[in-house]
Amino acid sequence: MVGIADYAVADAPMQLVTNGIGSCVAIALYDRASRVGALAHILLPHELLSAEQQPPAKSASTAVPRMVSRMRELHSAGDIEARLIGGASMFAPLLIPGALSLGARNITAARAACAAADIPVVGEDVGGDHGRSVTFSLDDGSLLVRSVAKGNVQL
């Protein structure tokens, strides 16, 4: 179970799960050859937006490098791919017209962190105005996104 501002790295046959993804973004990384994966539940688009001590997965820019490093320690030597989930605009009516929601900013930050690590994003279920939960199976890399708004989506 991966909590908010946290991450986990494991190999098959483990499953990684995170619940309650609203404006946060879940970043799922997977190496198909070694069946090593990682899942982070990022909270903020940048670590400088918080004055307190940073958990390693509070932002995408800190989570992705740490996840890749731990994946390499578990013998991931192949190509890593990413999938992004979440980044909803949960309180759109409260936004100043033209302002980007926290969710949209988290999506942009997650894409940028993956690009900086040369990790292609191969799937996304992002945006909207609804929460999501994720179950990530490291046996085969399948990722199930659950939401009340869209039901179950295989990503």
Side-chain angles (χ1 to χ4, degrees):
M1 189 61 111
V2 177
I4 296 171
D6 199 7
Y7 75 99
V9 179
D11 55 5
M14 296 295 293
Q15 282 191 334
L16 303 175
V17 176
T18 192
N19 296 311
I21 306 163
S23 60
C24 296
V25 171
I27 303 172
L29 303 181
Y30 192 61
D31 175 345
R32 291 192 181 281
S34 64
R35 300 188 315 159
V36 172
L39 183 65
H41 187 139
I42 67 158
L43 178 65
L44 295 172
H46 197 278
E47 63 270 13
L48 296 179
L49 292 176
S50 176
E52 62 194 48
Q53 184 70 14
Q54 293 297 316
K58 197 164 195 176
S59 69
S61 61
T62 56
V64 170
R66 288 174 192 234
M67 290 191 300
V68 170
S69 177
R70 279 288 299 130
M71 289 176 73
R72 299 294 186 216
E73 290 173 11
L74 286 179
H75 310 294
S76 167
D79 294 328
I80 296 173
E81 60 188 31
R83 286 172 276 178
L84 308 178
I85 304 93
S89 180
M90 301 300 289
F91 307 104
L94 302 177
L95 284 175
I96 296 169
L100 280 178
S101 71
L102 181 59
R105 292 169 46 206
N106 279 335
I107 294 165
T108 299
R111 288 175 181 152
C114 290
D118 292 323
I119 298 172
V121 176
V122 299
E124 293 186 346
D125 183 7
V126 297
D129 60 359
H130 59 282
R132 299 163 171 94
S133 294
V134 171
T135 301
F136 183 24
S137 173
L138 302 183
D139 270 335
D140 60 3
S142 62
L143 192 142
L144 177 66
V145 181
R146 299 176 318 279
S147 71
V148 172
K150 291 172 66 176
N152 292 344
V153 174
Q154 240 357 81
L155 188 61

